């Protein structure tokens, strides 16, 4: 039951109930009692595993269905009224047709299940920058994850009041139960029936058939990126796939950095970095999403709309990200990791040995197991995740929930490139920075299920899967924001931590040592260091990016700082081919930047 008198909400809930025919409706309030009750029910049904209370207090593990382990970009739709408003990077279906199809699927889809109504706020409850959403879902796993990732509370309904507006987010696992039918451990629909649909003109989200991550926790990718980016484009602000961090120097001067990298390219690691530069300290504001608006002083202010981290588990270790490990030491949810016999969790590259346990497919597993081709069988899925409360992060910034946000000094773009792209370069100006962001490229990762075997993905602003409208209009919006911010616009840099030697060795130590590169950027902002001009941008003068004490052979450093114009020309051809897709929606500034870059490289 609920006490809300918000008619739009009551009508919508009644409509969805009539369409989906659940056994019952439960209004969620985000309380500890609710969390514990649902976890208890899921442990009893076999969906959740309660972890060892001493080693991992108040924490649970889940295994998904092997067909439901990541976002599915091929089944994700931007159903704008006109096809040309979705653009070449999105899948489009006519909204009327898509609604017809999905209503057919939704009809009776919650039979035998409970329908949860989850009021949530992205951003601090009541802040003028925040947005209210209400997710309806038949997955208790979604409810408990939303408790951590968003702000789920009765207070949201108070803020909504009788006539406030909210973003309706409808989700079902798409697996109705007949009377007496036994439920599967992870109900979901087959891939061809999954739909992650967005109706940007209506601020409406409909998701069917997947229970995993961004497909199902609709506040995150669907609301805070796809719908929010479309709203931001209309309203003059920015919703970006960016971490936010504060970097404070020994004198106490604070720099705020927002950095865009594709999924599974180390945003969480960078957001919680342990600085190796003496006296400089990183504090985390967010690890995945930034909402940014110009403030009264004309600078760009950012908030993290989320309340938790949905981090990639494999590779998270004491050496790579001790702060993420600390964030999930208790009160955490783990999905698709190994559960050890003493009911703790493990994943590949955790930095500790594991003798075996139950793998993500719920089978007995030991690290020496091999598949038919002799390759090691991984215990944790490469896209396995931890869901952790941001407030448990030992380096969470005191301003992480400040409704006014933090002023951004620096934008960083990048991706995973084992060749071609040097460790760091700086844009000549903001428009050049926009070009860098718009042509950011990365080798694919496991965060999306269906990218296929592409060697390189050009991923504008790491937003390709998350831009809720035409990517050409989105790029134009970046230029427009630059114009509005003028000389208060953040400085733009491009980094690549992932260069390898020909024999496959990492060239750069990465992790905490990345602080050296961040410090060089801050020194640039303060005018303390100079640059050498290269065809692709400004680069550090030898000796001014401090590499003292690193075990870094001179030839490796030279390689990291090299601009190989021949290799770069190939990347430019790839970018040009990619940009042609935008036709007359390609901003003229992009064409200008591309032509200038080609001239500089020739
Ligand atoms: C994420 C993603 O889950 O980008 O953050 O896939
Ligand atoms: Mn992400």
């Amino acid at each position: 039951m609920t006490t809300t008198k918000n008619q739009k909400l009551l009508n919508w809930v009644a409509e969805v109930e009539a369409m989906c025919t659940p056994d019952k409706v439960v209004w969620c309030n985000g309380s500890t009692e609710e969390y514990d009750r649902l976890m208890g029910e899921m442990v009893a049904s076999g969906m959740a595993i309660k972890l060892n209370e001493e080693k991992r207090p108040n924490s649970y593990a889940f295994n998904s269905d092997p067909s439901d382990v990541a976002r599915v970009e091929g089944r994700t739709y931007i159903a704008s009224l006109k096809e040309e408003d979705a653009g070449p990077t999105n899948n489009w279906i006519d909204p009327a047709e898509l609604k017809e199809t999905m209503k057919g699927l939704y009809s009776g889809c919650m039979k035998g299940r409970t329908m949860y109504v989850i009021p949530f706020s992205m951003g601090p409850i009541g802040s003028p920058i925040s947005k209210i959403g209400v997710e309806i879902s038949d997955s208790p796993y979604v409810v408990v994850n939303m408790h951590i990732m968003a702000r789920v509370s009765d207070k949201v309904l108070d803020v909504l009041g009788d006539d406030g507006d909210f973003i309706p987010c409808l989700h079902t696992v798409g697996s109705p139960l007949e009377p007496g039918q036994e439920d599967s451990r992870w109900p979901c629909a087959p891939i061809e029936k999954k739909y992650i649909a967005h109706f940007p003109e209506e601020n409406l989200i409909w998701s069917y058939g997947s229970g995993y991550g961004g497909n199902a926790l609709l506040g995150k990718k669907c609301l805070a990126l796809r719908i929010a980016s479309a709203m931001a484009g209309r309203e003059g602000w920015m919703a970006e796939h960016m971490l936010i961090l504060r970097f404070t120097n020994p004198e106490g001067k604070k720099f705020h950095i927002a950095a865009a990298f594709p999924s599974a390219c180390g945003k969480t690691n960078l957001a919680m970095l342990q600085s190796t530069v003496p006296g400089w300290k990183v504090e985390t504001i967010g690890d995945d999403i930034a909402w940014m608006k110009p403030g009264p002083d004309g600078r760009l202010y950012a908030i993290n709309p989320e309340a938790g981290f949905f981090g990639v588990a494999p590779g998270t270790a004491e050496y790579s990200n001790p702060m993420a490990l600390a964030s999930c030491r208790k009160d955490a949810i783990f999905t698709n990791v190994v559960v050890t016999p003493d009911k703790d969790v493990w994943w590949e590259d955790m930095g500790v040995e594991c003798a075996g346990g139950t793998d993500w497919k719920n089978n007995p597993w030991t690290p020496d197991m091999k598949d038919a081709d002799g390759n090691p069988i991984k215990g944790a899925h490469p896209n396995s995740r931890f869901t952790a409360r941001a407030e448990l992060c030992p380096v969470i910034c005191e301003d992480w929930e400040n409704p006014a946000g933090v002023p951004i000094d620096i934008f960083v773009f990048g991706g995973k490139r084992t060749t071609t792209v040097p460790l760091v370069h700086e844009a000549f100006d903001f428009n050049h920075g926009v070009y860098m962001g718009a042509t950011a490229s990365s080798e694919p990762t496991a965060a999306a299920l269906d990218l296929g075997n592409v060697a390189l993905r050009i991923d504008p602003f790491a937003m390709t899967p998350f831009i809720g409208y035409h990517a050409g209009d989105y790029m134009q919006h970046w230029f427009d924001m630059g114009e509005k911010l003028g000389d208060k616009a953040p400085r733009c840099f491009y980094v690549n931590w992932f260069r390898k030697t020909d024999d496959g060795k990492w060239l750069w130590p990465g992790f905490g040592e990345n602080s050296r590169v961040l410090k060089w950027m801050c020194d640039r902002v303060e005018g303390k260091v100079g640059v050498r001009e290269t065809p692709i941008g400004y680069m550090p003068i030898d000796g001014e990016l401090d590499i003292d004490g690193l075990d870094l052979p001179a030839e490796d450093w030279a390689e990291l700082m090299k601009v190989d114009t021949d290799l770069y020309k190939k990347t430019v051809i790839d970018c040009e081919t990619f940009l042609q897709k935008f036709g007359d929606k390609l901003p003229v500034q992009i064409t200008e930047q591309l032509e200038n870059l080609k001239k500089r490289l020739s």
Side-chain angles (χ1 to χ4, degrees):
M1 275 310 293
T2 175
T3 52
T4 185
K5 295 199 177 63
N6 187 292
Q7 211 50 51
K8 173 178 165 183
L9 177 55
L10 291 168
N11 291 348
W12 179 60
V13 171
E15 242 171 65
V16 173
E17 184 182 2
M19 175 166 72
C20 301
T21 63
D23 279 5
K24 59 176 179 174
V25 176
V26 168
W27 286 75
C28 298
N29 59 19
S31 66
T32 310
E33 183 280 321
E34 178 174 281
Y35 188 86
D36 295 346
R37 175 168 45 83
L38 292 176
M39 283 298 194
E41 287 172 17
M42 287 187 281
V43 170
S45 77
M47 190 186 191
I49 300 162
K50 167 93 180 78
L51 296 172
N52 185 317
E53 192 52 32
E54 262 157 43
K55 299 197 158 170
R56 213 48 86 161
N58 194 30
S59 296
Y60 298 83
F62 292 80
N63 295 327
S64 76
D65 187 89
S67 69
D68 197 28
V69 292
R71 290 184 290 98
V72 276
E73 296 185 10
R75 306 295 307 167
T76 300
Y77 296 91
I78 299 298
S80 44
L81 294 173
K82 291 199 232 131
E83 181 168 6
E84 67 257 35
D85 291 337
T89 57
N90 284 313
N91 300 310
W92 179 84
I93 302 183
D94 173 74
E97 183 191 327
L98 183 55
K99 282 191 179 169
E100 202 53 38
T101 308
M102 290 189 75
K103 278 184 186 165
L105 292 167
Y106 278 135
S107 167
C109 70
M110 295 187 187
K111 233 191 302 177
R113 301 194 182 278
T114 300
M115 173 175 130
Y116 300 96
V117 183
I118 315 163
F120 65 94
S121 175
M122 297 310 287
I125 297 173
S127 147
I129 288 194
S130 300
K131 300 270 176 246
I132 290 178
V134 180
E135 176 158 356
I136 291 182
S137 174
D138 56 2
S139 163
Y141 169 86
V142 164
V143 180
V144 290
N145 274 275
M146 288 294 286
H147 270 224
I148 297 178
M149 294 306 299
R151 284 133 175 125
V152 178
S153 168
D154 273 347
K155 286 196 210 113
V156 173
L157 295 179
D158 296 342
V159 172
L160 194 57
D162 294 354
D163 49 14
D165 204 9
F166 64 95
I167 298 167
C169 310
L170 173 53
H171 170 255
T172 173
V173 293
S175 185
L177 288 170
E178 296 307 326
Q181 184 186 340
E182 201 185 322
D183 202 0
S184 32
R185 211 162 29 83
W186 183 277
C188 61
I191 184 107
E192 66 285 359
K193 281 198 180 164
K194 291 191 209 297
Y195 286 91
I196 324 297
H198 308 74
F199 304 91
E201 287 96 349
E202 286 178 77
N203 291 343
L204 174 67
I205 300 162
W206 279 9
S207 167
Y208 183 95
S210 167
Y212 204 87
N215 301 333
L217 313 176
L218 302 185
K220 190 173 179 60
K221 303 299 178 181
C222 300
L223 191 160
L225 285 177
R226 297 195 190 96
I227 292 295
S229 64
M231 293 172 99
R234 293 191 296 262
E235 297 166 7
W237 51 287
M238 305 173 92
E240 296 297 329
H241 193 204
M242 286 179 161
L243 67 91
I244 313 164
L245 65 83
R246 170 178 289 172
F247 200 28
T248 308
N249 76 11
E251 292 77 49
K253 184 166 164 68
K254 301 176 174 80
F255 298 87
H256 295 101
I257 301 180
F261 301 99
S263 310
C265 286
K267 279 201 300 300
T268 306
N269 289 353
L270 188 62
M272 301 174 193
L273 168 151
Q274 297 282 281
S275 170
T276 59
V277 183
W280 286 70
K281 181 174 82 176
V282 166
E283 290 164 293
T284 312
I285 292 159
D287 81 327
D288 196 41
I289 299 177
W291 284 355
M292 296 173 284
K293 284 188 183 167
D297 59 358
R299 299 182 70 195
L300 190 63
Y301 283 77
I303 68 156
N304 168 15
E306 301 193 278
F309 311 124
F310 185 64
V312 176
T316 305
E318 274 309 323
Y319 73 87
S320 62
N321 195 343
M323 296 302 118
L325 280 186
S327 308
C328 56
R329 75 189 181 280
K330 65 172 188 177
D331 299 349
I333 299 171
F334 299 90
T335 310
N336 285 345
V337 302
V338 173
V339 176
T340 58
D342 60 352
K343 296 278 187 293
D344 200 0
V345 289
W346 186 87
W347 47 75
E348 275 71 21
D349 251 334
M350 196 190 205
V352 289
E353 297 289 306
C354 174
T358 305
D359 71 5
W360 72 273
K361 290 185 176 164
N362 213 28
N363 292 323
W365 173 85
T366 51
D368 55 355
M369 283 178 153
K370 305 257 189 304
D371 66 14
D373 300 325
N375 299 315
I377 295 180
K378 290 192 186 328
H381 186 276
N383 192 42
S384 53
R385 300 282 180 142
F386 55 83
T387 319
R389 296 178 191 279
E391 66 195 352
L392 291 183
C393 180
V395 290
I396 199 76
C397 178
E398 62 180 1
D399 279 326
W400 85 280
E401 295 193 282
N402 184 341
V406 294
I408 298 299
D409 301 284
I410 290 170
F411 279 141
V412 182
F413 308 113
K416 214 171 236 178
R417 292 292 305 269
T418 48
T419 68
T420 315
V421 181
L423 180 66
V424 60
H425 60 291
E426 182 187 350
F428 296 124
D429 54 31
F430 191 80
N431 278 8
H432 181 220
V434 176
Y435 175 83
M436 282 177 172
T439 54
S441 57
S442 196
E443 292 155 24
T445 68
L449 205 51
D450 51 353
L451 284 184
N453 232 350
V454 290
L456 193 66
R457 179 187 219 196
I458 298 176
D459 188 355
F461 302 91
M463 277 288 280
T464 309
F466 310 122
I467 304 171
Y469 60 116
H470 195 297
D473 291 335
Y474 164 82
M475 289 174 188
Q476 186 61 55
H477 181 54
W478 264 88
F479 287 115
D480 295 346
M481 289 300 296
E483 203 146 294
K484 185 144 102 195
L485 293 163
D487 62 2
K488 303 228 168 73
R491 294 275 279 270
C492 299
F493 296 82
Y494 197 102
V495 299
N496 178 25
W497 319 129
F498 300 99
R499 284 293 303 280
K500 281 187 173 176
T501 57
D502 290 343
D503 49 4
K505 208 169 59 70
W506 297 114
L507 277 168
W508 175 247
F511 306 116
E513 304 298 0
N514 293 339
S515 54
R516 295 169 184 262
V517 179
L518 300 187
K519 174 180 182 290
W520 180 75
M521 294 174 187
C522 297
D523 286 346
R524 283 291 301 147
V525 169
E526 291 208 293
K528 287 185 176 164
V529 291
V531 283
R532 69 191 162 92
E533 192 167 331
T534 79
I536 63 167
Y538 293 133
M539 289 183 65
I541 292 174
D542 257 354
E544 288 196 337
L545 195 164
D546 185 4
I547 50 168
D548 267 7
L550 286 182
D551 177 18
L552 189 65
E555 61 273 21
D556 284 5
W557 179 243
E559 197 55 41
L560 282 164
M561 285 289 120
K562 186 163 107 186
V563 180
D564 182 327
T565 43
D566 286 337
L567 275 180
Y568 241 95
K569 280 183 200 157
K570 282 200 199 122
T571 287
V572 171
I573 293 171
D574 289 341
C575 291
E576 195 165 17
T577 312
F578 170 80
L579 293 168
Q580 273 161 6
K581 291 202 287 201
F582 296 83
D584 59 9
K585 290 264 195 184
L586 187 69
V588 287
Q589 296 96 321
I590 291 276
T591 314
E592 258 168 44
Q593 291 292 332
L594 182 70
E595 290 312 317
N596 292 344
L597 174 61
K598 285 202 297 200
K599 268 189 229 139
R600 293 193 302 266
L601 284 168
S602 64

